[in-house]
Amino acid sequence: VGQQPMKVKATVLDASGQVIASAAITWASATPSVAAVARDGMVTPLSAGDATISAVSGSVKGEKIISVTALATPPVTPPVTPPVTPPVTPPVTPPVTPVVVSSVVLLPRASVESAMPAAPAAGGTIISVAANGDLQAAIDQARPGDVIELPAGATYTGSFILPNKGSGAGWIVIRPATGVSLPSTGMRMTPALAAAARLPKLVSSTAGYAIGTVNGAHHYRLVGLEITTAANLSLSYGLVGFGNDASQGQRTLADAPHHLILDRSYVHGSATLSLRRCVALNSAEAAVIDSYLTDCHDSGSDAQAIGGWNGPGPFLIQNNTLEGSTENVMFGGGDAASAELSPADVTIRRNLLRKPIAWKGSPWQIKTILELKNVKRILIEENVLEGSWPQAWDGTAVTFKSVNQDHSAPWSGTTDVTMRRNLIRQTGSGINLHSNPQDANSDVVRMARVAITDNVILGMNSTDYPGAGRGFFLGGSIADLTIDHNTITWVGGGRSIEYEGDPPDPFARTMITNNVFATVGGDGLTGQRLGLPGPVWAAWGPGGVMSGNVFAVGAGSMWGAPGTGYNSYPPGNRLMLNENTTFAGLGFVNAAGGDVRLASTSPLKGTANDGGDPGANVAAVMAAATAAIAGTP
């Protein structure tokens, strides 16, 4: 909102995704002292802060966080520092206050309670398993509320199974024996800490899981374990299996295991092992927290640190280091056995997702860092995503799609995605959004309600991390897409926003506003066939809003210089010419050093549609990134 009133809109859909035009909607503000909302959805800012605006129709609820900047006398425009060669080219149309056209993006409806339970619980016992003892027998013996303790340095070899203990909500905790030094709750495990503590090891002797679940298993917490494979293995299909594939009989909601947590553990393959997946999330209510997952890589198949496709969630992935070759985290990629088993209600927060540069030139399949093909209501916030280059694909960091992977699940699709306050760096390209099915014979749910806000993308298409240098690559048919207040800077050339050739259907209700795209030698808005910014936007975004953006492009770029498309941008956007790696004229604090905050003297200050600054809240993003890298609260 900034300091100006705005109107929000919600659309009620039935189970098949069709609009219910007659549905009544009630609006409310959780913090009316910050922002009030009227019956028609008009939001009035009252004081600085954040307010959650909710839209309710029957039992369905959608929420959107509104940020209000301080309501004060508008500041005096600061002096503009004259740009270094070349000068900023002037024609700048005044900012346009957009009409809000996109629907409210739904946040996860459910969350995972990850607090450590009392262990043992009242009435529970401690079961100690000696080194080389029978761990499976102890697991089979344990009752809800019990603790299984493993001595430091002990190794247990096998494929261990967590059985269904029947009804009851008491946790069975498997952890190191008293005296093993673990990080405090909320602090991340690392390989060095695991070695120093001599964590007990679970070692898989086969290509199957080191530890997995039967259908319906529930309330297990794995704490402070090292989980890996035997040294003589060359292939592993996975190490931790929370839930099962449809081929293993998990076909209904009742089959899904639930209440499963991996906590402060070290899960890894080896430098030469083909490991398809470190952790599979095919369950209800599961979490991976404060852990370190690495060497999850394969040469003949996709491999992930965490992957899920046949479990309903909710899922929490928080404060981990996640190193996977093909995708670090992926939802979808295989068909859920039923609509009720499609992944949903996911929170991915404060993680470091990276591909080590040492994997460059390796046999491993390198694709993207985060990929979504079938998930509903996912929140991705305050993570660091780094390291992707063309190897098995093109080096794009993030890919969101709607895909019916094996053509047997027409309920598949990606909807209600919120991605905010993340740092993406050292990749070939930024974010790819595409909503088409794989082929004409695949029914799929159209991608809808995607909000990408307040993110920073740095260093695309560099020498070590080459690629197409696309900030956003958009295709297919997407409804209710918002790209707002992001900052993207790079010097390797490419395109700020690139659309595919001709749209199968125009995007519906698109908002691309208040972003900063700063490149050297690259383009602003373009399309693979239509080319010129104006025709591209007319074809792909009719009825949408594109304004308040800053396109700082190369003077020699495709549509940079006057006479070659310079004046064809939609009104309300600022076009600047730049051939200097310091991005002279934009007023960054120190772009060469990675500090892309706007200095107080920047001519961009206060020029966003909402009266604030265009681009991300860089200081907040970088503070969150520091915590995500360190693994501390």
Side-chain angles (χ1 to χ4, degrees):
V1 168
Q3 302 172 4
Q4 302 299 320
M6 66 182 291
K7 194 170 185 179
V8 291
K9 179 182 177 183
T11 302
V12 182
L13 308 177
D14 62 21
S16 63
Q18 300 300 308
V19 175
I20 305 175
S22 61
I25 297 173
T26 302
W27 294 95
S29 171
T31 316
S33 61
V34 173
V37 60
R39 282 199 248 174
D40 63 352
M42 180 63 73
V43 177
T44 302
L46 300 174
S47 63
D50 290 341
T52 299
I53 305 299
S54 60
V56 178
S57 181
S59 62
V60 179
K61 182 178 182 181
E63 295 180 337
K64 185 174 184 65
I65 296 176
I66 298 294
S67 296
V68 179
T69 56
L71 298 174
T73 303
V76 177
T77 304
V80 177
T81 303
V84 183
T85 305
V88 176
T89 311
V92 177
T93 54
V96 175
T97 301
V99 176
V100 176
V101 293
S102 57
S103 297
V104 173
V105 179
L106 301 178
L107 292 171
R109 291 177 180 167
S111 60
V112 178
E113 176 51 65
S114 62
M116 185 71 190
T125 63
I126 294 178
I127 303 171
S128 297
V129 184
N132 300 314
D134 192 338
L135 175 57
Q136 186 64 59
I139 294 171
D140 293 341
Q141 171 192 343
R143 306 311 305 162
D146 288 350
V147 171
I148 298 172
E149 284 196 344
L150 311 177
T155 297
Y156 303 88
T157 301
S159 294
F160 303 101
I161 300 297
L162 304 178
N164 183 353
K165 299 289 184 174
S167 61
W171 288 86
I172 295 175
V173 176
I174 305 176
R175 71 184 187 195
T178 303
V180 173
S181 179
L182 293 179
S184 301
T185 299
M187 305 289 286
R188 188 180 306 164
M189 179 60 69
T190 67
L193 290 174
R198 301 177 61 234
L199 296 184
K201 289 184 182 181
L202 276 56
V203 178
S204 175
S205 58
T206 71
Y209 292 129
I211 189 161
T213 54
V214 301
N215 290 349
H218 61 93
H219 285 91
Y220 287 92
R221 189 178 186 113
L222 312 179
V223 183
L225 304 176
E226 181 175 350
I227 304 174
T228 187
T229 67
N232 63 339
L233 288 183
S234 60
L235 171 66
S236 171
Y237 294 108
L239 289 173
V240 177
F242 284 170
N244 299 296
D245 191 80
S247 64
Q248 298 165 296
Q250 185 171 305
R251 295 186 171 276
T252 69
L253 196 59
D255 296 329
H258 56 93
H259 289 85
L260 305 165
I261 294 180
L262 180 70
D263 176 9
R264 286 168 289 168
S265 291
Y266 175 36
V267 182
H268 64 95
S270 67
T272 58
L273 175 71
S274 286
L275 171 58
R276 298 278 171 88
R277 196 166 294 108
C278 279
V279 175
L281 290 181
N282 290 319
S283 60
E285 195 146 342
V288 179
I289 58 174
D290 304 335
S291 293
Y292 200 110
L293 281 56
T294 187
D295 280 328
C296 319
H297 45 47
D298 194 4
S299 58
S301 179
D302 281 11
Q304 301 94 30
I306 297 177
W309 61 96
N310 193 48
F315 299 120
L316 174 64
I317 302 171
Q318 181 166 287
N319 192 38
N320 306 284
T321 295
L322 305 171
E323 296 182 343
S325 62
T326 318
E327 302 91 10
N328 297 60
V329 175
M330 181 173 183
F331 284 96
D335 285 349
S338 61
E340 64 182 5
L341 288 177
S342 286
D345 300 313
V346 182
T347 299
I348 303 175
R349 179 185 293 122
R350 288 283 178 108
N351 302 281
L352 172 59
L353 296 84
R354 68 183 176 193
K355 302 186 195 299
I357 191 65
W359 291 357
K360 192 174 182 182
S362 71
W364 314 130
Q365 290 204 42
I366 306 295
K367 287 188 180 178
T368 189
I369 300 173
L370 172 65
E371 184 162 354
L372 308 178
K373 290 186 174 181
N374 177 28
V375 66
K376 297 171 180 62
R377 298 182 302 277
I378 180 169
L379 172 62
I380 307 150
E381 67 177 359
E382 299 183 346
N383 303 280
V384 173
L385 299 87
E386 63 182 21
S388 189
W389 54 87
Q391 198 152 309
W393 200 40
D394 66 355
T396 295
V398 175
T399 300
F400 298 159
K401 298 179 179 180
S402 279
V403 178
N404 178 358
Q405 187 75 30
D406 300 319
H407 316 297
S408 65
W411 50 78
S412 300
T414 295
T415 58
D416 293 295
V417 180
T418 301
M419 184 175 186
R420 63 192 184 197
R421 297 191 298 276
N422 299 279
L423 171 63
I424 301 172
R425 62 186 182 183
Q426 299 171 346
T427 65
S429 284
I431 299 175
N432 182 324
L433 305 178
H434 200 289
S435 186
N436 269 6
Q438 285 182 301
D439 58 47
N441 298 317
S442 292
D443 292 326
V444 69
V445 176
R446 182 184 192 185
M447 188 186 297
R449 297 178 303 283
V450 178
I452 301 173
T453 61
D454 212 22
N455 301 282
V456 174
I457 304 179
L458 302 175
M460 295 186 300
N461 193 19
S462 66
T463 301
D464 289 333
Y465 301 92
R470 297 184 180 112
F472 289 91
F473 183 59
L474 307 176
S477 179
I478 303 173
D480 298 302
L481 170 63
T482 297
I483 300 173
D484 182 61
H485 277 292
N486 301 282
T487 295
I488 307 178
T489 71
W490 74 108
V491 299
R495 278 91 185 267
S496 303
I497 304 171
E498 182 174 4
Y499 283 89
E500 281 193 326
D502 294 309
D505 294 297
F507 281 27
R509 299 175 298 279
T510 300
M511 290 183 65
I512 301 179
T513 51
N514 304 317
N515 303 285
V516 174
F517 301 98
T519 176
V520 173
D523 293 313
L525 169 65
T526 188
Q528 290 183 331
R529 189 186 72 79
L530 297 168
L532 288 168
V536 167
W537 180 245
W540 284 89
V545 175
M546 176 177 281
S547 68
N549 302 290
V550 177
F551 292 95
V553 302
S557 66
M558 187 181 300
W559 312 122
T564 60
Y566 177 92
N567 293 320
S568 75
Y569 280 81
N573 297 285
R574 177 186 293 252
L575 183 66
M576 308 172 74
L577 303 184
N578 184 81
E579 292 294 350
N580 188 308
T581 57
T582 65
F583 299 106
L586 279 79
F588 292 135
V589 171
N590 180 11
D595 189 344
V596 291
R597 293 174 297 160
L598 295 180
S600 60
T601 55
S602 169
L604 305 184
K605 294 288 287 184
T607 62
N609 288 333
D610 54 16
D613 298 338
N617 182 340
V618 176
V621 172
M622 300 310 285
T626 298
I629 293 168
T632 58

